[in-house]
Amino acid sequence: MRTRVVFTLALSVASALAQTAPAPAAKPDPDLLTLSDGEKLIGHFVRASGDHVIFHSDVLGDLTIAWANVKELHSAQRYVVVSKDTKLDHRVEANKLPRGTISEADQTLLIEPTPNAPAQKIPVADAAHVLDEATFQKVVFHNPGFFQDWKGAVTAGASIVQATQQSRTFTGAVSLIRATPAEDWLAPRNRTIVDFSASDGFEIQPATPKIKTEIVHADAERDQYFRGKSLYGFGQVAFDHNYSQGLDLQSNVGGGLGYTVIQKANETLDFKGSITYVRQNFQARESDTSLLGSNFIETFTHKTAHGILFLESITITPTWTVLEDYSGAATGSVSIPVFKRIGFTTAISDNFLNNPPPGFKKNSFQLTTGLTYTLK
């Protein structure tokens, strides 16, 4: 009897839940794209960027089509249109952009905000980006977690000689950057940069002391842009160890202002200046010193249409408390894609230290090659 009662109650609850459960959402009508030759594609309009449209065909998959080849486009979903030369500040301007269901004919976009509101017309040539509302909200208002949205590369190389002389050289580098937001048409909010590089090696030959090479560099930087501007404040920390210059550890901590002169999807140029504290510890302890100085930095990146990436940076560090103890560094690299995310990288690095201990040269120059894996 008890089992029958429990079973009856369970059946009643299940029946009630089934009756009150919401019906599944109706699947939206498919989008329709008509090419200039009259061919029709049925599927989903994903987005448009520049002169091209990305359309997912139910039969052919994702297609990239030039706007010039699109005769008509109809979609019942809501999209946001971003005009060319627009740099959005996500706090205000993002909600003022044209949005609604869209259609296109005669190279003109028709945006209908609501069924009763007047439609707005925008020439296709004036539309830099067309995104669905969900994607737009994500790229504009997204705040990534600590481990999210990092881009960068990992490079490794080695040289081994086994003969009368024995030599081993290992090089590696990790370069990470995270810009928020990630889209270049949005006004930047902040940027985080982390770099690490190391070169370690030795050479042994008969009747000769072992020759050692050990050069390590690490730095981190946080940029915070002022609202709607290319000007930003930044904090920076850098550490250097160079056995070839008698330098056990140089610590460089400071902060200042930077200015982004060029900010494009394939090219950036920055100039920075800061006040910095420098602590130098040498193998010869009598040469240890603490200094107050400045960092003047120029960085440039450029990526070609074929995916070749060029990086260049120059840092000059004058020291105001002891004028003779200035230093500087210059780096440059070219990375050529080979297969998918794998590339071949050639890099140079020149470190200058005007106050090394006696017996050490002021310059330390490196030329390295290796394979690079692009993280994203």
Side-chain angles (χ1 to χ4, degrees), residues 296-299 312-316 329-331:
F296 297 104
I297 307 168
E298 175 266 338
T299 59
E312 174 266 330
S313 178
I314 297 174
T315 301
I316 300 174
T331 61

Side-chain angles (χ1 to χ4, degrees), residues 252-269:
N252 190 319
V253 181
L257 295 175
Y259 188 82
T260 300
V261 180
I262 300 174
Q263 179 67 52
K264 300 179 180 178
N266 68 325
E267 188 174 72
T268 63
L269 174 64

Side-chain angles (χ1 to χ4, degrees), residues 117-159:
Q120 184 175 353
K121 294 183 178 181
I122 298 178
V124 166
D126 294 340
H129 303 277
V130 183
L131 304 89
D132 64 86
E133 278 196 317
T135 301
F136 179 81
Q137 293 293 326
K138 179 179 178 181
V139 300
V140 173
F141 298 99
H142 175 57
N143 289 309
F146 183 80
F147 296 103
Q148 294 179 316
D149 296 354
W150 288 98
K151 297 181 179 180
V154 178
T155 303
S159 173

Side-chain angles (χ1 to χ4, degrees), residues 243-293:
Y243 184 86
S244 303
Q245 290 182 302
L247 182 65
D248 271 351
L249 181 65
Q250 175 175 284
S251 305
N252 190 319
V253 181
L257 295 175
Y259 188 82
T260 300
V261 180
I262 300 174
Q263 179 67 52
K264 300 179 180 178
N266 68 325
E267 188 174 72
T268 63
L269 174 64
D270 283 75
F271 291 99
K272 310 171 191 176
S274 68
I275 299 297
T276 186
Y277 168 79
V278 180
R279 174 64 185 176
Q280 295 175 329
N281 296 102
F282 294 94
Q283 296 173 24
R285 293 304 179 190
E286 61 273 12
S287 300
D288 292 356
T289 183
S290 295
L291 306 163
L292 183 64

Side-chain angles (χ1 to χ4, degrees), residues 103-353:
S103 59
E104 185 271 343
D106 299 324
Q107 295 296 295
T108 301
L109 287 170
L110 186 68
I111 303 103
E112 299 182 80
T114 62
N116 298 323
Q120 184 175 353
K121 294 183 178 181
I122 298 178
V124 166
D126 294 340
H129 303 277
V130 183
L131 304 89
D132 64 86
E133 278 196 317
T135 301
F136 179 81
Q137 293 293 326
K138 179 179 178 181
V139 300
V140 173
F141 298 99
H142 175 57
N143 289 309
F146 183 80
F147 296 103
Q148 294 179 316
D149 296 354
W150 288 98
K151 297 181 179 180
V154 178
T155 303
S159 173
I160 299 174
V161 175
Q162 188 72 29
T164 303
Q165 294 83 18
Q166 300 179 41
S167 69
R168 307 283 190 274
T169 302
F170 301 95
T171 61
V174 178
S175 179
L176 302 174
I177 183 170
R178 182 176 68 186
T180 305
E183 302 285 346
D184 63 291
W185 47 270
L186 292 169
R189 300 201 301 271
N190 58 66
R191 179 173 57 186
T192 306
I193 303 169
V194 178
D195 294 301
F196 174 82
S197 62
S199 178
D200 187 84
F202 64 86
E203 182 174 336
I204 301 174
Q205 60 183 8
T208 303
K210 180 179 179 180
I211 301 173
K212 179 181 177 181
T213 302
E214 191 175 79
I215 302 173
V216 181
H217 171 81
D219 68 69
E221 177 180 321
R222 171 71 172 193
D223 303 332
Q224 198 70 38
Y225 282 84
F226 297 108
R227 182 175 174 181
K229 302 292 183 180
S230 296
L231 185 68
Y232 57 89
F234 72 93
Q236 185 184 53
V237 59
F239 302 97
D240 287 279
H241 166 74
N242 195 324
Y243 184 86
S244 303
Q245 290 182 302
L247 182 65
D248 271 351
L249 181 65
Q250 175 175 284
S251 305
N252 190 319
V253 181
L257 295 175
Y259 188 82
T260 300
V261 180
I262 300 174
Q263 179 67 52
K264 300 179 180 178
N266 68 325
E267 188 174 72
T268 63
L269 174 64
D270 283 75
F271 291 99
K272 310 171 191 176
S274 68
I275 299 297
T276 186
Y277 168 79
V278 180
R279 174 64 185 176
Q280 295 175 329
N281 296 102
F282 294 94
Q283 296 173 24
R285 293 304 179 190
E286 61 273 12
S287 300
D288 292 356
T289 183
S290 295
L291 306 163
L292 183 64
S294 295
N295 283 328
F296 297 104
I297 307 168
E298 175 266 338
T299 59
F300 176 74
T301 68
H302 179 78
K303 190 172 186 178
T304 70
H306 299 289
I308 300 174
L309 179 63
F310 174 74
L311 305 175
E312 174 266 330
S313 178
I314 297 174
T315 301
I316 300 174
T317 306
T319 51
W320 310 122
T321 49
V322 182
L323 297 179
E324 295 80 9
D325 290 354
Y326 58 88
S327 61
T331 61
S333 68
V334 177
S335 183
I336 302 172
V338 176
F339 177 73
K340 293 186 178 180
R341 294 189 179 187
I342 304 296
F344 178 78
T345 298
T346 300
I348 60 172
S349 176
D350 192 329
N351 296 298
F352 179 83
L353 197 62

